[in-house]
Amino acid sequence: LGQTFQVTSQEATKLSLAFSRPPLPSAEDCRKLSEDVQNAILAVATVYYWLPKGQGTTLRKMVRDATTEVVEGMIQLTDTILNAPEESLSQEQLISTGGVWEACEQVSNLPRGEYNQAAVVSALAACLGVVKDAVEEMEHALVEGQDPYGDIMEDEELGFRGNRDTYWSEADRQLLSSCMGLMKASKACLKKILAAVKAHGKADSPEQIAQLDDLADIANEISPSVDELALSMYPPVNPLAVRLNVSICKASLMNFLYFCRASHVCPPSEEGWVQFLTGAVDHNMNKVKNFTQGQL
């Protein structure tokens, strides 16, 4: 795979250099360049299509995305050359060539070893990164007395800074503390299952590979639900909207925890944290229900 992508980056360089200075390539040279580029792209696509589906959908998605970036980069480079002034190396052409190189070099970051297990580790780490960012951003915004919009809006834009639409009330903060508990539980879930997949994840059988893929798919539902919850927490707070997003987030987490417990990555030694986090999710959901009961 790495050699195939390297050849493609070399063909992109040859194509770009051929149209960067006079004299322009002859018709025969253009034909040869076109054939070489076409063959390189076909080789990249073939590598993806030859990748056995049994290796896992998470790995295939990563290879597919890498392949798509290379193909789209080559299309952009070709369009740039066709639309550029004759016998000149444009800035756009340099950028497009660099884009193909970068896309080809990304293949070095693709999983190695037990491929699908490594691919799922990479996918879970990406989800964890998104959730960690959301938690840290909301923790920063909830610092006592801080205006959550203070860093993006000037006073003259909002007028009087006592406007309730830009601040949290004490009741808001009590509700949001439970929401933060759920967000932190999401972060803990992903962190724990990431460690479990690293320690216990296997790709020796179709069942194990499928379980790993399902873990990655379910984890992909958690980060968007946490993001939506965080957005609904900004003032002016609508308690019912917050409760709805908390319910969605809880459903994603419970589905994730249930599947984790039933999969091969959670032997008996891992059941303690699964049970603890299940209780933490329920606890914070019940607190949100209590705070919003009067809004129904």
Side-chain angles (χ1 to χ4, degrees):
L1 182 61
Q3 291 178 342
T4 304
F5 276 64
Q6 185 178 14
V7 169
T8 304
S9 65
Q10 292 170 353
E11 293 302 329
T13 302
K14 285 168 56 180
L15 180 65
S16 185
L17 289 175
F19 290 90
S20 65
R21 57 184 179 271
L24 292 176
S26 65
E28 179 61 23
D29 288 338
C30 286
R31 184 191 64 76
K32 182 65 169 60
L33 280 169
S34 299
E35 285 183 358
D36 290 344
V37 168
Q38 183 179 21
N39 289 336
I41 292 298
L42 287 174
V44 169
T46 300
V47 167
Y48 165 67
Y49 284 111
W50 278 359
L51 181 64
K53 293 183 179 180
Q55 288 292 328
T57 58
T58 306
L59 176 63
R60 282 178 60 83
K61 286 176 183 176
M62 289 184 175
V63 176
R64 180 195 63 196
D65 291 345
T67 303
T68 300
E69 283 197 35
V70 171
V71 174
E72 290 179 346
M74 192 67 82
I75 291 173
Q76 182 179 1
L77 173 59
T78 305
D79 285 340
T80 300
I81 291 173
L82 290 173
N83 295 320
E86 292 186 359
E87 301 181 8
S88 67
L89 180 63
S90 66
Q91 183 68 18
E92 291 78 9
Q93 189 173 330
L94 286 172
I95 293 173
S96 297
T97 305
V100 176
W101 291 346
E102 184 177 353
C104 290
E105 288 172 0
Q106 284 182 4
V107 72
S108 63
N109 297 323
L110 290 174
R112 305 189 185 285
E114 289 197 33
Y115 297 115
N116 204 52
Q117 187 260 6
V120 171
V121 165
S122 177
L124 290 172
C127 293
L128 176 59
V130 172
V131 172
K132 285 175 67 174
D133 288 345
V135 170
E136 290 172 5
E137 180 180 332
M138 190 53 62
E139 283 180 331
H140 181 70
L142 281 167
V143 172
E144 188 65 34
Q146 181 176 329
D147 175 3
Y149 296 116
D151 60 343
I152 58 173
M153 294 185 180
E154 298 295 335
D155 286 2
E156 56 266 23
E157 294 181 29
L158 292 175
F160 178 54
R161 300 303 285 165
N163 186 339
R164 278 288 309 282
D165 285 353
T166 66
Y167 287 91
W168 284 297
S169 67
E170 185 57 35
D172 290 339
R173 289 183 178 276
Q174 290 179 3
L175 170 62
L176 299 189
S177 67
S178 300
C179 296
M180 283 301 301
L182 193 62
M183 291 176 67
K184 290 178 180 179
S186 302
K187 173 182 167 184
C189 283
L190 289 167
K191 187 175 181 179
K192 286 290 188 179
I193 197 60
L194 176 58
V197 170
K198 288 180 178 179
H200 309 295
K202 300 294 182 184
D204 299 330
S205 69
E207 182 181 9
Q208 290 173 339
I209 291 172
Q211 286 180 350
L212 290 174
D213 286 332
D214 287 340
L215 282 173
D217 289 341
I218 299 170
N220 281 331
E221 298 175 2
I222 294 177
S223 49
S225 70
V226 170
D227 271 343
E228 287 299 319
L229 174 57
L231 287 173
S232 69
M233 291 164 63
Y234 279 93
V237 174
N238 181 333
L240 292 183
V242 171
R243 178 165 173 166
L244 174 62
N245 283 303
V246 165
S247 298
I248 294 172
C249 188
K250 179 204 170 182
S252 297
L253 285 173
M254 287 302 198
N255 189 30
F256 190 56
L257 288 167
Y258 175 82
F259 190 83
C260 289
R261 177 178 287 172
S263 73
H264 74 278
V265 302
C266 280
S269 61
E270 302 285 347
E271 290 180 358
W273 67 261
V274 175
Q275 185 174 356
F276 173 78
L277 288 174
T278 300
V281 171
D282 271 332
H283 173 70
N284 285 291
M285 181 73 225
N286 289 333
K287 288 177 68 175
V288 170
K289 285 181 178 179
N290 291 335
F291 279 124
T292 58
Q293 198 64 38
Q295 303 290 326
L296 297 178

